[in-house]
Amino acid sequence: MGITVDSQEVRVGGDGASSWCGGGFKSLVRRKQVDSAHAKKGTQLAKELSVPYLIAIGVGSTIGAGVYILVGTVAREHTGPALTLSFLVAGIAAALSAFCYAELSSRCPSAGSAYHYSFICAGEGLAWLVGWALLLEYTLSGAAVARGISPNLGFLFGGENNLPAFLARQYIPGLDVMVDPFAAVLVFLVTGLLSVGIKESSRAQAIVTTANVCALLFVIIAGAYLGFKSGWVGYEVPTGYFPFGVDGMLAGSATVFFSYIGFDSVASTAEEVKNPQRDLPLGIGAALSICCALYMLVSFVIVGLVPYHAMDPDTPISTAFASHGMHWASYVITVGAVTALCSTLMGSLLPQPRILMAMARDGLLPSFFSDVNQRTQVPVKSTVATGIAAAALAFFMDVSELAGMVSVGTLVAFTMVAISVLILRYVPPDEVPLPPSLEESIDNFSLQNGGSSHKSDGKDPKAIIVGSSNDSTKPLLDQVDISVEIPLIAKHLHIGNYVMNENRRRKIAGWTIMLTCIGTFLLTYSTSSLGLPSLLRYSLCGVGGALLLSGLIVLTCIDQDDARHNFGHTGGFICPFVPLLPIACILINVYLLVNLGAATWTRVSVWLIIGVFVYVFYGRTHSSLRDAVYVPVAHADEIYRTSTNYVS
Ligand SMILES: NC(=[NH2+])NCCC[C@H](N)C(=O)O
């Protein structure tokens, strides 16, 4: 799109996404500036976190009950001894998303993670959906995890029925529900801890995470000892390493991918990190590598101890140890599972308030949620709101059936993060809403000069005139800290032929990214929907594959935005192999999304439809971008020239 001179409204620069959208859809594609989310004074979070804390948050949020349970069912049904490879493949798939998160968190380090990146890159509509889906994910996963703790504790007491009354679930006959007061209390305890301060809560996270990592190390070391002693019977099975073929191993990776969910919590703490550009990529990368190594070693040992077909589907690890006479190991493993659940609970309740806060700062939710407590420098109100919602769910509902809905949030976020990397590289956001201080100066200037203020004259606020001649522009600029504000505007000005070329490049890139995403969906949908008539399936598959491949080729040939070079030199993280890596990441995540099943999608649709209503009736009209001010091109040009004179 680039510069449009047809009306008073001018976008300086522009993107490939909004040019084709009519006025009604403009709110959906308006994008915020990278630095527009910088908190105002008094609403800042405490900058306390360094790499070790980030690793603790990442590992703690990622390692949950998943690994303790999945190894049994996945080895029995899909992979056999090749389970270790499934964890490797799933780890590589997760690493693709981690690379994308690392670049975005490093380049756009504000709270809100995937929601925030989507707002900067893809626009308000998709950002809202991502944020809305993440809210569902974190609340449900917090509730599900809390609810999983008492059955695990039951092992320590010799069965759930022997649990002391305060730990056990209670049946309420009148309501025909099984309530779990302990789960609710636990959620409140974690909420309290998270409200005290980010440093205190991440310290607690570090302690709990250390305990659960020690339990996994115990499984690895003691298991390897038993394996060497007993001759690794699990690997001696006559069916070989791949009893279900390589296909089975790949199907297993899709299931164990769940155990890698959670490292993205690190990105949500971006605003609380001392040196976000360097520390966030390090934290994300180290956390994921640690989890991948632990998962592979645990699975390697466990499938070696027991033949895969004899594995227990519910308590595979304890049973494997018991089969070698080490019954007491189940206590260590249960403690490991309980601490893992506690740390994932914290890992779910930590990001959600930050996403609520980011959405409220952008005006899409009431400002109640963006309130930061002055003393603790934590978004206490949204933390408490999150805690109440998760505790209520955990108290009343057995949310385990809703597990698929948890994955939707994560996978939608992972997909959008990969798309955001492509957009940031090829169609970086440079429709510049004016920086707030310049806006204020314009207002003051208009008032002082009796000129028409864009806010008060009832005209389209976007149609603001930034001075109509050099004479009127100069005093305006006098009131602005030019060294800060002008480069922001001037850097987006492309004059002469260059504009046309750049313009065309952006347009092609924007369309290509969109068509590549459509191709990914068609390809994964057609390969997964066996019920479709085969002609339709093959056609969809062909069209999808062709779109995807040509998208990849076109993007490989198009120049990327130069900013990444400058950014790379400042010590920030740059995702390698763009566009191949993000496209592979989109493909994997869309494949997993498409395969979540109709029942999950029906439930999620209800939530998303509610989200659309909230957006239409609240977010769209309250968005902080609703009055975004765009620089008219002629005057932007003037500002540019004037500022050059002024500076020189
Ligand atoms: N944010 C979340 N969805 N967290 C859930 C994490 C689940 C965790 N990876 C597990 O294996 O149990």
Side-chain angles (χ1 to χ4, degrees):
M1 178 184 82
I3 293 178
T4 48
V5 201
D6 51 356
S7 70
Q8 286 167 296
E9 174 205 342
V10 171
R11 316 265 171 78
V12 183
D15 62 35
S18 45
S19 58
W20 38 269
C21 288
F25 289 102
K26 274 194 180 144
S27 65
L28 295 177
V29 291
R30 56 194 176 199
R31 310 196 283 181
K32 68 177 179 182
Q33 279 177 279
V34 172
D35 41 8
S36 65
H38 279 179
K40 290 184 222 132
K41 281 208 176 64
T43 62
Q44 275 148 352
L45 305 181
K47 283 203 173 294
E48 296 281 5
L49 300 179
S50 51
V51 177
Y53 287 115
L54 294 178
I55 296 178
I57 291 175
V59 174
S61 313
T62 307
I63 299 180
V67 62
Y68 290 93
I69 298 162
L70 291 176
V71 286
T73 28
V74 176
R76 276 171 73 107
E77 289 167 17
H78 299 294
T79 65
L83 180 63
T84 316
L85 283 188
S86 287
F87 271 108
L88 177 65
V89 172
I92 294 173
L96 299 183
S97 294
F99 275 117
C100 298
Y101 266 101
E103 170 162 345
L104 290 166
S105 61
S106 187
R107 289 178 78 169
C108 323
S110 287
S113 72
Y115 157 76
H116 175 62
Y117 315 141
S118 308
F119 206 154
I120 289 172
C121 298
E124 190 173 288
L126 282 174
W128 168 263
L129 276 188
V130 171
W132 193 247
L134 282 176
L135 296 187
L136 176 75
E137 173 201 331
Y138 288 126
T139 314
L140 278 184
S141 97
V145 164
R147 194 114 181 163
I149 290 180
S150 61
N152 272 286
L153 283 177
F155 286 117
L156 297 180
F157 290 85
E160 248 187 278
N161 295 339
N162 301 338
L163 276 174
F166 74 97
L167 290 179
R169 292 182 183 171
Q170 318 283 343
Y171 182 65
I172 310 276
L175 295 173
D176 193 23
V177 287
M178 195 68 136
V179 296
D180 193 335
F182 180 63
V185 169
L186 211 67
V187 172
F188 282 128
L189 281 179
V190 173
T191 306
L193 188 62
L194 289 170
S195 307
V196 172
I198 185 69
K199 194 150 195 178
E200 290 74 5
S201 39
S202 34
R203 252 189 217 140
Q205 176 73 300
I207 295 170
V208 180
T209 303
T210 310
N212 87 53
V213 168
C214 287
L216 289 181
L217 289 176
F218 166 81
V219 171
I220 296 165
I221 296 168
Y225 167 75
L226 291 179
F228 281 114
K229 220 171 79 173
S230 61
W232 296 107
V233 287
Y235 290 108
E236 302 293 312
V237 286
T239 39
Y241 192 67
F242 291 103
F244 301 94
V246 174
D247 287 2
M249 187 274 285
L250 290 177
S253 339
T255 311
V256 299
F257 187 81
F258 175 78
S259 53
Y260 286 102
I261 291 177
F263 65 86
D264 47 306
S265 308
V266 175
S268 72
T269 61
E271 251 173 81
E272 285 141 300
V273 179
K274 285 182 187 149
N275 180 0
Q277 290 193 341
R278 192 202 58 163
D279 293 356
L280 284 168
L282 275 177
I284 293 173
L288 190 63
S289 313
I290 293 173
C291 295
C292 186
L294 287 172
Y295 289 165
M296 287 180 66
L297 289 170
V298 167
S299 57
F300 176 83
V301 165
I302 296 302
V303 290
L305 289 182
V306 186
Y308 70 91
H309 46 79
M311 266 195 190
D312 187 294
D314 297 323
T315 52
I317 303 187
S318 312
T319 316
F321 277 89
S323 70
H324 287 264
M326 208 189 253
H327 293 276
W328 58 267
S330 66
Y331 289 101
V332 182
I333 291 155
T334 305
V335 170
V338 170
T339 49
L341 283 168
C342 291
S343 68
T344 24
L345 172 59
M346 213 182 268
S348 298
L349 298 183
L350 173 86
Q352 170 143 344
R354 281 146 187 83
I355 291 172
L356 283 170
M357 183 187 79
M359 293 171 86
R361 272 181 187 169
D362 294 331
L364 302 184
L365 287 176
S367 59
F368 169 85
F369 293 106
S370 58
D371 198 63
V372 173
N373 183 289
Q374 293 299 307
R375 203 173 50 78
T376 60
Q377 289 183 281
V378 169
V380 171
K381 288 183 185 163
S382 43
T383 304
V384 172
T386 301
I388 292 174
L393 268 179
F395 184 73
F396 285 113
M397 271 178 77
D398 187 0
V399 275
S400 55
E401 277 171 30
L402 307 182
M405 289 168 83
V406 173
S407 305
V408 172
T410 306
L411 295 172
V412 164
F414 284 11
T415 309
M416 274 315 297
V417 166
I419 295 175
S420 298
V421 168
L422 288 179
I423 296 178
L424 207 58
R425 292 298 185 85
Y426 291 100
V427 209
D430 59 3
E431 290 183 323
V432 266
L434 288 177
S437 54
L438 187 53
E439 263 182 63
E440 274 163 29
S441 305
I442 292 164
D443 279 340
N444 295 341
F445 177 69
S446 301
L447 288 177
Q448 279 165 20
N449 290 276
S452 61
S453 160
H454 64 290
K455 296 252 166 81
S456 57
D457 65 0
K459 286 190 198 146
D460 178 3
K462 286 184 195 138
I464 176 180
I465 309 286
V466 186
S468 55
S469 70
N470 272 351
D471 291 338
S472 55
T473 313
K474 264 182 191 153
L476 165 68
L477 292 174
D478 283 349
Q479 300 170 46
V480 181
D481 177 0
I482 285 190
S483 59
V484 177
E485 310 294 4
I486 293 305
L488 249 170
I489 299 174
K491 78 176 181 201
H492 298 294
L493 278 172
H494 309 291
I495 303 166
N497 276 343
Y498 179 61
V499 171
M500 298 312 294
N501 294 339
E502 168 66 3
N503 195 8
R504 199 175 310 138
R505 185 193 70 78
R506 292 175 70 94
K507 207 167 202 164
I508 294 173
W511 278 99
T512 310
I513 294 173
M514 202 163 47
L515 292 174
T516 310
C517 294
I518 295 174
T520 318
F521 173 74
L522 293 180
L523 186 66
T524 49
Y525 180 72
S526 59
T527 48
S528 316
S529 313
L530 300 175
L532 288 180
S534 40
L535 184 65
L536 185 62
R537 267 187 75 201
Y538 291 130
S539 323
L540 287 181
C541 188
V543 174
L547 282 178
L548 184 63
L549 202 65
S550 34
L552 182 63
I553 295 170
V554 172
L555 288 178
T556 311
C557 298
I558 296 181
D559 282 345
Q560 292 182 33
D561 184 54
D562 283 344
R564 97 199 124 106
H565 295 299
N566 309 337
F567 181 74
H569 292 152
T570 61
F573 181 83
I574 287 295
C575 174
F577 306 118
V578 175
L580 183 64
L581 189 150
I583 289 182
C585 182
I586 297 171
L587 188 63
I588 292 170
N589 291 310
V590 172
Y591 173 80
L592 294 172
L593 272 173
V594 165
N595 282 290
L596 280 176
T600 298
W601 275 109
T602 313
R603 292 187 189 121
V604 169
S605 310
V606 175
W607 176 251
L608 293 182
I609 289 169
I610 299 175
V612 169
F613 278 107
V614 178
Y615 176 71
V616 170
F617 292 108
Y618 186 89
R620 197 173 63 91
T621 46
H622 289 76
S623 163
S624 54
L625 290 193
R626 77 186 181 283
D627 292 334
V629 181
Y630 294 88
V631 185
V633 69
H635 307 299
D637 186 10
E638 251 161 41
I639 292 177
Y640 177 66
R641 274 189 276 109
T642 321
S643 67
T644 327
N645 294 340
Y646 189 97
V647 173
S648 62

